[in-house]
Amino acid sequence: MVLLFWLVFVFVVGASVGSFLNVAIARLPLEKSLLWPNSRCGACLQAIAWHDNLPIVSYLLLRGRCRSCGERYSMVYLLVELFTGIAFAGLFWLEIVKNIFDWPGHRDPTFMLVFFPWESFFAFASHAVLFSFLMVATVCDLKSREIPLQLTLTGTLVGLVFSALL
C-alpha cells in the first residue's frame, strides 16, 4: 500500500512538472519569461484559471479546448504531462524500489519506502531534473528543429553540478 502511495504521488508530481515543462517548451524558443504572465489561451488570450490548468485532468475534462473560446489545444500538452508523470514514476521504481544502482542501505524494500536514504532521493531528484531538461529539449527540437541555447547551457551546468555531487 505504501508503494502504491509513493508511485501515485511521484506520478502526480511528474505530471505537475510536465505542466511547467509545457510552459518552458512554449516560451523558451521565443525568449519569454517562464514565470510571467500566467498561462493564456493562444487564440483569445484569456488567462487560464487554476482549475483549468490541472495536469492531465483539465485537458481531459475540457476535451482539449479553451473554456472561453473553444479553440483546440495541441495534444502535445497532454502527452508531455502524461509522459513526464510516467517517466518520474518509472525512475522512482528503478532507482528507489528496485535500486538498480545498488546504493548501500537499500536491503529492506518495505522499510526503505518509508525512510529511504538521502543518497537515493538525491539521485532520483537529480535524474528527474535532467530528464525534464531533456524533455523540453526534445519537444522544442521536434517542433522547430532548434534547441534554445539557454536550455542547453543551463542543462549542461546542472548536469555537471549533479555529477560532481553524486
Side-chain angles (χ1 to χ4, degrees), residues 46-69:
Q46 286 290 336
I48 298 174
W50 69 268
H51 53 82
D52 289 339
N53 213 7
L54 298 173
I56 301 170
V57 175
S58 294
Y59 190 94
L60 295 175
L61 288 177
L62 294 172
R63 296 185 186 137
R65 296 184 180 276
C66 173
R67 184 181 295 273
S68 300
C69 68

Side-chain angles (χ1 to χ4, degrees), residues 88-166:
F88 274 37
L91 274 172
F92 182 82
W93 178 264
L94 291 172
E95 293 185 359
I96 303 293
V97 178
K98 290 297 181 186
N99 190 20
I100 61 170
F101 295 119
D102 200 27
W103 292 100
H106 277 233
R107 302 300 173 225
D108 183 13
T110 55
F111 176 76
M112 182 270 314
L113 286 175
V114 179
F115 302 106
F116 42 88
W118 70 269
E119 296 96 347
S120 300
F121 176 75
F122 184 75
F124 164 72
S126 64
H127 292 145
V129 168
L130 291 173
F131 171 82
S132 299
F133 275 101
L134 289 173
M135 176 65 97
V136 174
T138 301
V139 177
C140 285
D141 189 32
L142 288 173
K143 286 175 78 173
S144 63
R145 305 192 101 203
E146 184 176 329
I147 300 172
L149 181 61
Q150 63 266 37
L151 178 68
T152 305
L153 294 177
T154 308
T156 302
L157 181 64
V158 169
L160 288 172
V161 168
F162 283 152
S163 67
L165 293 175
L166 285 175

